Amino acid sequence: MIHEILPVGPLQCNCSIIGDQTTREAMVIDPGDDINDILSVIRKHNLQVKQIVITHAHIDHVGGAMKLRSATGAPILLNQNDYALLKMLDAQAAWIGVASPGKVEIDHSVTTGELVTAGSHTATILHTPGHTEGSICLYFPAEQKLIAGDTLFAGSIGRTDLPGGSMQKILHSLHDTVLALPDETVVVPGHGPLTTIGDERATNPFLVKR
Ligand SMILES: [Zn+2]
């Protein structure tokens, strides 16, 4: 599996580029910004982007999606519970003091149980509301890898004080969905360093057993 993680934009969102070494098919997760850098990685590996997956509709994760769609022709996937947040991109841009990316069009909604593929690599979608209503994680069972968006960080969890956020829901998502994964699972959070489910289960102060 080709997996490049590129921190993009002023908030350094972890954009994942995942490709199949044989078929060269790829998916890009959370192309928040710096689309030229993302396209260089895609060209370097000679990949063809088939899916653009957005873990949630915060501007630092979705801001570059339309540019990437124009460059690759790949559809943009987002859970429909975040469509309302997506309509607030101008307000979100004002919060963090960046230019608005304009309107983002979603091609398909994705939710729990649906599969997203890049060649032979398959991710199961897990709907994990709490950071936002439509937050999702992507779980690659064969590779034991979780792309967690802003639901789980190394030593912390996503903030719940923005519109659509809920502490009760994120704790429910973490305990019932995310911690159900095996300890060996490598977690790629939406920001910051990688971790594992086992490390977070043992040491994350938000995840000590209720
Ligand atoms: Zn976020």
Side-chain angles (χ1 to χ4, degrees):
M1 179 195 237
I2 296 164
H3 186 182
E4 295 245 20
I5 300 165
L6 212 60
V8 296
L11 298 181
Q12 295 285 280
C13 162
N14 283 330
C15 171
S16 275
I17 298 148
I18 288 175
D20 182 313
Q21 276 158 319
T22 306
T23 68
R24 315 315 290 187
E25 290 171 299
M27 71 174 81
V28 177
I29 303 162
D30 287 353
D33 203 345
D34 299 334
I35 296 307
N36 288 336
D37 296 341
I38 295 169
L39 288 171
S40 310
V41 171
I42 289 163
R43 278 193 297 269
K44 179 179 88 181
H45 291 289
N46 191 24
L47 297 173
Q48 198 177 16
V49 180
K50 295 290 187 181
Q51 323 264 8
I52 300 166
V53 189
I54 310 299
T55 60
H56 65 289
H58 281 157
I59 188 168
D60 52 323
H61 295 256
V62 71
M66 290 301 274
K67 272 190 198 165
L68 187 61
R69 186 172 80 167
S70 300
T72 63
I76 303 174
L77 315 183
L78 172 78
N79 182 270
Q80 61 184 2
N81 292 289
D82 262 7
Y83 286 4
L85 255 188
L86 199 63
K87 295 202 177 88
M88 298 173 57
L89 279 183
D90 289 350
Q92 292 188 43
W95 295 340
I96 60 169
V98 299
S100 173
K103 192 171 180 298
V104 176
E105 295 160 13
I106 302 303
D107 295 285
H108 305 293
S109 174
V110 283
T111 192
T112 295
E114 289 181 64
L115 304 178
V116 182
T117 61
S120 64
H121 304 297
T122 300
T124 302
I125 301 293
L126 305 171
H127 181 212
T128 51
H131 176 62
T132 67
E133 285 285 343
S135 284
I136 58 168
C137 297
L138 288 86
Y139 177 51
F140 292 82
E143 294 82 5
Q144 295 205 301
K145 199 171 263 193
L146 182 77
I147 311 295
D150 287 358
T151 297
L152 178 62
F153 300 118
S156 188
I157 64 174
R159 59 190 288 185
T160 55
D161 58 330
L162 295 171
S166 159
M167 182 58 84
Q168 196 186 344
K169 283 184 184 172
I170 199 169
L171 287 176
H172 187 269
S173 293
L174 285 162
H175 284 281
D176 293 3
T177 303
V178 176
L179 289 187
L181 300 174
D183 280 346
E184 300 72 38
T185 309
V186 172
V187 178
V188 182
H191 303 265
L194 309 197
T195 182
T196 66
I197 291 292
D199 281 353
E200 295 313 306
R201 195 193 309 278
T203 64
N204 189 313
F206 294 91
L207 300 182
V208 289
K209 204 72 194 146
R210 280 179 291 186

